[in-house]
Amino acid sequence: MFAAETLTGPSIPWFTLSPLLALLIGACVLMLGGSLLPQWPRGLYGIVTALSAATSIVLCFFLWDNLSDGRPETIIGDALAFDHFAVLGTISICVAVLLASLTTSDYLVREGEDGPELFVLYLSAAIGGIVMVAAQDLIVLFLGLETLSLALYVLAASNRRREESQEAGLKYFILGGFSSAFFLYGIALIYGATKHTNLGRIMETLSSQQAFPRNDVLLLAGVGLLLVGLAFKVAAVPFQVWTPDVYQGAPTPVTSFMASAGKTAAFAALLRVSVTALESRVDDWRPVVWVLAVLSLVVGSVLAVTQTNVKRMLAYSSISHAGFILLGVEAASHTGSASAADGIASAMTYLLLYTVLVIGTFTIVGLVAGRGDSASNLTDFRGLGRRRPALALALTVFLLAQAGMPLTSGFVAKFGVIRAAVETSSYAIAIIAMLASVIGAFLYLRIMVSAWMEDAEGQDAAPPVPFLSGLAVTAAVAFTLVVGIVPGWLLDATRQVITLAGR
Amino acid sequence: MLDVVWLIPALPLAGFLLLVLFGRRLNEPRAGYLAAATCGGAFVVTVLAFFDMLSKSGQQRSHVVEVFSWIPVGSLEVKMAFLADPLSITMALFVTGIGTLIHLYAVGYMHGDPKFSKFFIYLNLFAFSMLMLVLGENLLVTFLGWEGVGTCSYFLISFWHTRESAATAGKKAFVTNRVGDWGVMTAMFLAFASVGTLSYKGINDAAIGGSLSHVTATAIALMLFIGACGKSAQLPLYIWLPDAMEGPTPVSALIHAATMVTAGVFLMTRMNPVIHEAYTWAPMIIAVVGAATALFAATIAVAQNDVKKVLAYSTVSQLGYMFLAVGSGAYIAAIFHMITHAFFKALLFLGSGSVIHGMHHEQDMRRMGALRKLMPVTAVTFIVGWLAIAGVPPFAGFWSKDEILLYVYANNRGLYVVGLVTALLTAYYMTRQVIMVFFGEARWNDHSEEHGAHGDFKPHESPRIMLLPLVVLAGLSIVGGALQLPFTKDLHFLEKWLEPVVEHGEAYIKGSWAYDNKYLLMGVAIVVAVAGIVVAVGVYDKKKLKAVEPEILANGWFYDRLVSNFMGGPGRRAFDAVAWADANVVDGAVRGTGVAVRSTSGIVRKLQSGFVRAYAAVIALAVLLMLVWFVYRGIA
């Protein structure tokens, strides 16, 4: 028997955890309130979710401010990191929850299935994502990953009337489980090699050259498996196989959430693990990231062009975006270079900007797809410019931004990662990235041409734009343009994320 | 006045926004006049800025106007800023000037089109983008304009998108231009990586100061040239320009003759110190590609029957001339030719538009003839344009072409011969066109039954609003040469004006044989031009010689067909193969989701068909490869 005093737990900085708690409280309110009060007024579930995400974002701003005075640190017995990096990741995920919950609310009303379940799942997925973003320990990271993933599996399958949705959920679940197993085994191998799961300890162990052998197969195999798990979540080629089916099959608002929050969490984890714990092994994992990036860029943009379903196109486009973000990761791996930090900053900025873009795009796709979420072929977009000029205009802004057109946020994002790659002398990959963006532009143009220039026959019904979705789209357009025209403030702010806790 | 150069692009932008908001309510013709007014306003501001700049001395003529700091991050600061210097003001002058004229012309030409106001939205957006391109202080602002003009061009080519050919042509333009855009992007990042800035001043200063290595300078120059090849329709990327004639004629005149297609020449001139620092074979490549394009396109123009196609190939050919000049270090001559070409080619295009308008949208020259009596103003102005492009003194084209040939002779005599042959062909095919359209017997009567709806068909002269721009441009085509007359140093106005911009890269030919014998070269050029005209008159008017119009020329050396066949054949198959592999090998469920699921009873059967298993196999294979790599790293 242990005496009570031997079991002193670590001190818990409640305020630092407040963004997580805000989401948790929101989830509890929805779950309890949802079961106690049989039916809430229309749209209220979504609004409560959006409010708790907004609260979380506001709290993040306070934390950001506190951090600017103090130093990054690790909390709760080194389980989580508290630094600008984590706070920015949290903000991105909360923005995803905020926007996605607004559009999901309208989606559920349209499908006649308004209820709290999806929102609770969003919030718990977000909690998992935030844990991933801040995890300073591989086990904690795994915990976050599973929390996020399990929620996403259910979300993908949440439309019970559409077989595609069921199928997407099941496929995602099976393949996700498969990759989680690799991930977990990777953790075990790394633990076996270093006797630690804490990122800081692993870094210390690995960097003491004499104590630790340079070529430890056990460790390197573990690193490889760890990368597999994360590459699966970010949908990097060749671990992208699930993406087109799942993105196409899942309900559209869920797809947008998956593409934004899921990617952000997994990329943040990838960055943190690789540049802290595995810093001394960059030469081993950099080539892998390089290959993943190139494959994602090329496969994503080439295959996107051959698609005819817009959701599927955007799935491939998200794969190509993952390639761009990997460009930032690759740049961050040049730890000797002064510009390596730019890689971290540009990748995290990309994630925030992409979150807004992709949700904006998918929201419009969802509105056009209409009841049953079925009309998402390229031909369904014909004549949108005439039927709903404002919606078509917003779609154009998002697509131009995804293509990386100057004066939109997408340009700032792409310019940032390519610049980081150039500054770390990774010229080959930068040139490939530019080629990919050249090819990719064609895909976005195809959708725009469909919306503006082709007239629809027999499609005169203008898709209704409910208030909350309209609000989300308007906010996303404004953000996309403001950041595109005056990106300075954002870039200055995000430059602070380069100091990671415990590094 | 120089501080308000931002107004120059801002006015067309304002026009664009107003038309987007109120275009439909303004409707015809007020939308057109509004667009023309904003463009005219920009022209007035440019003229004022021009005079302001004249009052300053050489070094003070470069003036940066910062609007705001666009991307300030770490070591890189990109400003949304404009550079007013002799080069950009020159470009802005003719972009806004000719732009205004063409806006006015379009009010007449687009009369009755259901999308009248939309046309002017695109046109104003184009003017804005083009002005951003030429006035940009750094490569990024220019690139913004570069992308903008490309997009507008795409939309305007496919303006009549219900015509299948117009939609295809638009797509072709977009794809070829993207190849060029990639070149510009790469050049931009190369410049940034080696110099650490994107501003022209910074990059050019680095080149002049010698801190840019020859290798880097060569790479930047060639990448920019790839970009220029796309935008300015050089071999092998020229194929989009002839097809671009599917767009309305004012668009052909403004975008595909006078302004946008010269963007490549402008960019090369802007970066002339970098080209100067490149290995000598880099400018040689530019000169050779230019000369080859000039000759190649001229041979094709000889056998075209579409009135606009002749002019399109002629434009490609003349742009080749400009690149020949750039590659020979004759930047002033290149800009000079760009300006005169803008005058006479815009004139010729608008003239052909007037003919097409008068002929009720007939474009085949074999069905024209003897139009000079029915369309006197069009005919006279078109003849002025013809004399200018054919290189007959004292029309504008003669002086600029002569100046280029002078520098080319000093650079490389082989290229000079190519230039002369091109000049001969130019005079020949333009004479052919003038005779076929305005002289000879009237052939439109033979075909009047095809225009059955019109009863007795009679071509008519165009309305005044279309003729006014023709007259103005004809005047400019006559006197444009006065910008730079070769006789005495005092008459080199353009040279003195542009000197601060190009002094580093400009070739020095004083004392060479060519310079000492420039009047002899001038004489040769006149003889060649007259010879071309005489032969063409002999063939098409007097019918003493048999016309040589082999099919291979009419079909553009089959190059276009070759490319299409490749794209439609092996290229298409390669693309299809990728898609097929994706659909069947990697991504078995592509079709499955739609077809298989609905026809089968549920998910379980679907799983048994092995799709998820295939996915898992891909992942497992990838994991295996990854492990092999890491284990290899561990053992090695």
Side-chain angles (χ1 to χ4, degrees):
Chain A
M1 284 295 276
F2 293 103
E5 60 268 23
T6 60
L7 272 177
T8 45
S11 70
I12 295 175
W14 292 105
F15 183 60
T16 309
L17 293 178
S18 57
L20 265 182
L21 296 175
L23 298 181
L24 194 61
I25 292 169
C28 292
V29 167
L30 281 168
M31 214 150 30
L32 288 176
S35 50
L36 293 178
L37 306 169
Q39 186 65 46
W40 291 13
R42 219 171 70 167
L44 192 60
Y45 301 114
I47 290 170
V48 168
T49 317
L51 279 180
S52 72
T55 315
S56 190
I57 294 173
V58 171
L59 290 167
C60 279
F61 285 135
F62 283 114
L63 292 175
W64 183 278
D65 221 34
N66 286 356
L67 263 176
S68 300
D69 302 332
R71 275 183 50 79
E73 55 184 352
T74 54
I75 53 170
I76 327 184
D78 292 348
L80 292 178
F82 174 50
D83 47 22
H84 282 116
F85 182 90
V87 178
L88 183 64
T90 309
I91 293 178
S92 300
I93 292 174
C94 290
V95 167
V97 175
L98 177 66
L99 293 175
S101 59
L102 292 179
T103 59
T104 306
S105 177
D106 290 334
Y107 157 80
L108 289 175
V109 169
R110 185 184 73 199
E111 304 293 318
E113 292 188 341
D114 201 12
E117 297 85 0
L118 253 61
F119 299 105
V120 174
L121 288 167
Y122 278 158
L123 289 170
S124 46
I127 292 169
I130 293 170
V131 169
M132 282 175 81
V133 165
Q136 184 67 10
D137 190 292
L138 291 175
I139 298 296
V140 177
L141 175 55
F142 183 69
L143 200 68
L145 180 70
E146 285 306 286
T147 313
L148 171 72
S149 304
L150 287 170
L152 287 182
Y153 302 146
V154 183
L155 279 168
S158 63
N159 190 335
R160 276 161 298 157
R161 289 202 211 113
R162 278 181 70 223
E163 264 178 24
E164 288 94 332
S165 172
Q166 303 287 296
E167 185 189 323
L170 196 55
K171 274 185 180 162
Y172 193 23
F173 175 63
I174 293 172
L175 295 171
F178 195 45
S179 78
S180 285
F182 285 123
F183 185 78
L184 198 54
Y185 193 44
I187 296 179
L189 290 181
I190 292 177
Y191 177 72
T194 62
K195 310 284 175 284
H196 290 294
T197 56
N198 186 283
L199 300 185
R201 304 289 142 61
I202 296 174
M203 181 174 75
E204 283 163 24
T205 313
L206 294 184
S207 53
S208 53
Q209 289 288 348
Q210 53 284 59
F212 200 84
R214 177 82 213 142
N215 305 323
D216 190 292
V217 176
L218 203 59
L219 170 79
L220 289 173
V223 172
L225 294 177
L226 208 61
L227 285 179
V228 169
L230 293 171
F232 177 85
K233 267 274 136 12
V234 304
V237 179
F239 303 101
Q240 94 299 0
V241 277
W242 57 277
T243 320
D245 286 5
V246 174
Y247 276 29
Q248 187 182 355
T252 313
V254 170
T255 309
S256 72
F257 182 75
M258 249 191 286
S260 51
K263 253 195 181 59
T264 305
F267 262 116
L270 176 63
L271 269 168
R272 190 187 288 279
V273 171
S274 50
V275 303
T276 56
L278 306 176
E279 191 192 7
S280 55
R281 295 296 184 274
V282 279
D283 293 332
D284 297 316
W285 57 263
R286 184 193 301 125
V288 174
V289 170
W290 196 94
V291 171
L292 291 177
V294 169
L295 285 176
S296 307
L297 285 167
V298 174
V299 172
S301 30
V302 169
L303 288 184
V305 175
T306 63
Q307 305 302 319
T308 53
N309 180 293
V310 173
K311 275 172 87 176
R312 214 174 169 80
M313 273 181 187
L314 292 174
Y316 281 107
S317 121
S318 92
I319 293 169
S320 137
H321 281 292
F324 275 99
I325 304 170
L326 281 169
L327 216 64
V329 180
E330 206 267 352
S333 74
H334 292 267
T335 41
S337 158
S339 307
D342 284 347
I344 304 177
S346 62
M348 288 306 283
T349 314
Y350 201 120
L351 287 165
L352 175 62
L353 301 179
Y354 180 64
T355 294
V356 175
L357 271 184
V358 79
I359 297 186
T361 318
F362 271 117
T363 300
I364 296 178
V365 172
L367 291 175
V368 174
R371 201 174 149 75
D373 216 12
S374 49
S376 60
N377 276 322
L378 197 54
T379 44
D380 296 318
F381 283 75
R382 280 190 187 160
L384 187 65
R386 202 170 35 78
R387 288 181 282 152
R388 277 264 175 235
L391 205 59
L393 200 64
L395 181 67
T396 308
V397 170
F398 292 136
L399 293 174
L400 285 176
Q402 290 213 37
M405 184 85 172
L407 290 185
T408 61
S409 64
F411 175 77
V412 175
K414 285 191 176 168
F415 188 80
V417 287
I418 294 180
R419 172 173 165 267
V422 169
E423 289 213 324
T424 51
S425 309
S426 313
Y427 296 120
I429 202 173
I431 289 177
I432 294 169
M434 284 184 254
L435 270 176
S437 81
V438 163
I439 300 172
F442 195 68
L443 132 90
Y444 304 116
L445 193 86
R446 266 181 82 188
I447 307 178
M448 277 186 260
V449 165
S450 215
W452 287 107
M453 309 199 65
E454 290 168 9
D455 285 330
E457 286 143 29
Q459 283 182 352
D460 285 327
V465 181
F467 175 72
L468 292 178
S469 298
L471 189 69
V473 169
T474 314
V477 167
F479 182 79
T480 303
L481 291 178
V482 167
V483 171
I485 295 167
V486 274
W489 57 277
L490 185 72
L491 294 174
D492 282 340
T494 53
R495 270 195 72 74
Q496 301 183 38
V497 306
I498 58 178
T499 332
L500 295 178
R503 182 165 166 235
Chain B
M1 204 58 213
L2 286 181
D3 288 319
V4 295
V5 285
W6 57 268
L7 263 179
I8 301 172
L11 283 169
L13 179 66
F16 163 74
L17 293 174
L18 283 175
L19 284 176
V20 166
L21 293 175
F22 308 113
R24 230 175 272 179
R25 236 167 297 163
L26 280 171
N27 226 332
E28 204 192 324
R30 274 173 298 175
Y33 287 123
L34 174 70
T38 57
C39 201
F43 178 65
V44 171
V45 176
T46 317
V47 170
L48 293 175
F50 169 70
F51 283 115
D52 192 21
M53 194 174 277
L54 270 186
S55 67
K56 295 184 171 162
S57 64
Q59 290 310 312
Q60 268 104 53
R61 284 182 178 176
S62 183
H63 189 78
V64 173
V65 181
E66 189 183 333
V67 182
F68 59 87
S69 187
W70 185 10
I71 305 183
V73 49
S75 56
L76 170 72
E77 186 178 16
V78 182
K79 292 172 186 151
M80 179 57 82
F82 300 114
L83 172 63
D85 73 347
L87 179 62
S88 62
I89 292 294
T90 308
M91 296 293 295
L93 267 178
F94 86 79
V95 169
T96 52
I98 296 181
T100 309
L101 289 175
I102 293 176
H103 271 78
L104 283 177
Y105 177 92
V107 173
Y109 191 85
M110 299 304 288
H111 171 71
D113 196 286
K115 294 195 289 178
F116 185 85
S117 62
K118 208 170 191 180
F119 180 79
F120 285 94
I121 291 179
Y122 291 140
L123 220 52
N124 257 1
L125 186 62
F126 169 79
F128 162 70
S129 308
M130 188 69 204
L131 289 166
M132 293 292 278
L133 195 162
V134 299
L135 286 167
E137 185 262 351
N138 53 59
L139 273 170
L140 201 56
V141 177
T142 295
F143 185 66
L144 171 67
W146 186 276
E147 293 275 275
V149 291
T151 313
C152 292
S153 153
Y154 170 80
F155 280 124
L156 283 165
I157 293 170
S158 3
F159 188 73
W160 286 320
H161 59 81
T162 40
R163 301 211 305 229
E164 177 65 25
S165 52
T168 317
K171 233 177 260 173
K172 204 174 195 174
F174 183 79
V175 172
T176 3
N177 267 301
R178 289 306 287 180
V179 179
D181 292 351
W182 171 77
V184 179
M185 273 194 261
T186 311
M188 200 159 79
F189 277 101
L190 270 174
F192 169 67
S194 48
V195 189
T197 175
L198 287 175
S199 84
Y200 289 122
K201 189 170 178 337
I203 298 167
N204 285 338
D205 282 353
I208 294 168
S211 58
L212 201 62
S213 74
H214 293 304
V215 185
T216 322
T218 309
I220 296 176
L222 289 181
M223 279 300 162
L224 280 179
F225 183 56
I226 291 180
C229 278
K231 193 75 51 195
S232 297
Q234 295 297 290
L235 276 175
L237 298 178
Y238 78 91
I239 45 170
W240 66 272
L241 188 58
D243 285 14
M245 298 305 140
E246 285 295 337
T249 304
V251 171
S252 310
L254 178 63
I255 301 184
H256 305 120
T259 56
M260 184 187 85
V261 288
T262 61
V265 183
F266 161 76
L267 194 58
M268 305 303 282
T269 309
R270 182 52 100 202
M271 303 281 278
N272 70 80
V274 175
I275 299 171
H276 187 72
E277 287 309 304
Y279 292 118
T280 46
W281 52 263
M284 199 59 200
I285 288 181
I286 299 174
V288 169
V289 170
T293 311
L295 181 62
F296 180 79
T299 57
I300 299 174
V302 163
Q304 297 302 312
N305 286 319
D306 183 312
V307 65
K308 279 175 78 182
K309 280 273 164 73
V310 176
L311 295 175
Y313 281 108
S314 157
T315 304
V316 175
S317 171
Q318 297 298 313
L319 288 166
Y321 246 93
M322 294 174 212
F323 279 100
L324 178 56
V326 165
S328 308
Y331 294 99
I332 293 169
I335 298 290
F336 184 28
H337 196 57
M338 183 198 290
I339 297 170
T340 58
H341 176 256
F343 293 157
F344 61 69
K345 191 51 70 62
L347 168 61
L348 290 169
F349 263 115
L350 296 186
S352 75
S354 176
V355 169
I356 295 168
H357 193 77
M359 292 283 296
H360 299 274
H361 296 278
E362 174 60 78
Q363 301 201 6
D364 194 331
M365 296 195 296
R366 284 168 300 190
R367 296 180 181 180
M368 296 178 181
L371 287 176
R372 72 181 183 285
K373 298 232 173 64
L374 294 166
M375 308 179 75
V377 181
T378 306
V380 169
T381 52
F382 200 93
I383 285 169
V384 170
W386 158 53
L387 292 171
I389 192 176
V392 175
F395 295 92
F398 168 75
W399 305 108
S400 53
K401 196 180 279 185
D402 189 57
E403 174 117 353
I404 291 178
L405 287 173
L406 175 65
Y407 276 83
V408 174
Y409 189 93
N411 181 36
N412 183 313
R413 270 171 240 177
L415 293 177
Y416 173 77
V417 174
V418 176
L420 266 192
V421 175
T422 307
L424 179 77
L425 288 171
T426 308
Y428 174 81
Y429 68 69
M430 283 311 299
T431 312
R432 170 178 176 267
Q433 181 173 37
V434 168
I435 293 172
M436 285 178 82
V437 175
F438 294 105
F439 294 87
E441 73 266 29
R443 291 180 297 276
W444 28 270
N445 275 331
D446 314 345
H447 303 275
S448 58
E449 70 274 11
E450 283 175 34
H451 297 275
H454 299 119
D456 60 328
F457 172 74
K458 195 166 186 213
H460 59 82
E461 183 62 294
S462 300
R464 265 200 205 138
I465 193 159
M466 286 170 71
L467 297 179
L468 175 76
L470 289 180
V471 173
V472 175
L473 285 169
L476 288 170
S477 301
I478 296 172
V479 302
L483 283 174
Q484 172 94 341
L485 292 173
F487 303 114
T488 69
K489 191 84 183 122
D490 299 334
L491 295 172
H492 293 198
F493 299 114
L494 195 66
E495 185 175 325
K496 271 180 266 172
W497 170 244
L498 287 176
E499 198 155 30
V501 185
V502 299
E503 60 188 346
H504 189 73
E506 185 78 3
Y508 188 78
I509 59 160
K510 220 161 271 177
S512 69
W513 187 90
Y515 188 80
D516 294 336
N517 296 286
K518 59 181 175 185
Y519 295 112
L520 178 65
L521 293 179
M522 202 183 280
V524 172
I526 296 174
V527 169
V528 164
V530 171
I533 294 174
V534 168
V535 173
V537 169
V539 175
Y540 293 97
D541 195 40
K542 307 278 181 245
K543 313 267 185 198
K544 289 202 173 130
L545 296 164
K546 202 174 169 307
V548 184
E549 293 177 11
E551 200 186 344
I552 188 166
L553 293 185
N555 284 304
W557 295 98
F558 295 109
Y559 177 75
D560 200 18
R561 194 176 296 173
L562 194 77
V563 173
S564 319
N565 282 350
F566 177 78
M567 296 308 261
R572 179 63 175 269
R573 277 198 289 279
F575 224 63
D576 284 349
V578 175
W580 182 86
D582 180 57
N584 293 286
V585 184
V586 184
D587 201 321
V590 178
R591 308 283 173 269
T593 12
V595 185
V597 178
R598 258 169 233 138
S599 59
T600 53
S601 56
I603 297 152
V604 184
R605 270 193 76 176
K606 181 136 180 49
L607 286 177
Q608 284 171 341
S609 67
F611 291 135
V612 171
R613 213 185 296 159
Y615 291 174
V618 172
I619 293 180
L621 192 70
V623 171
L624 205 64
L625 285 174
M626 214 143 152
L627 281 179
V628 167
W629 161 257
F630 278 106
V631 170
Y632 162 79
R633 289 290 297 183
I635 296 165

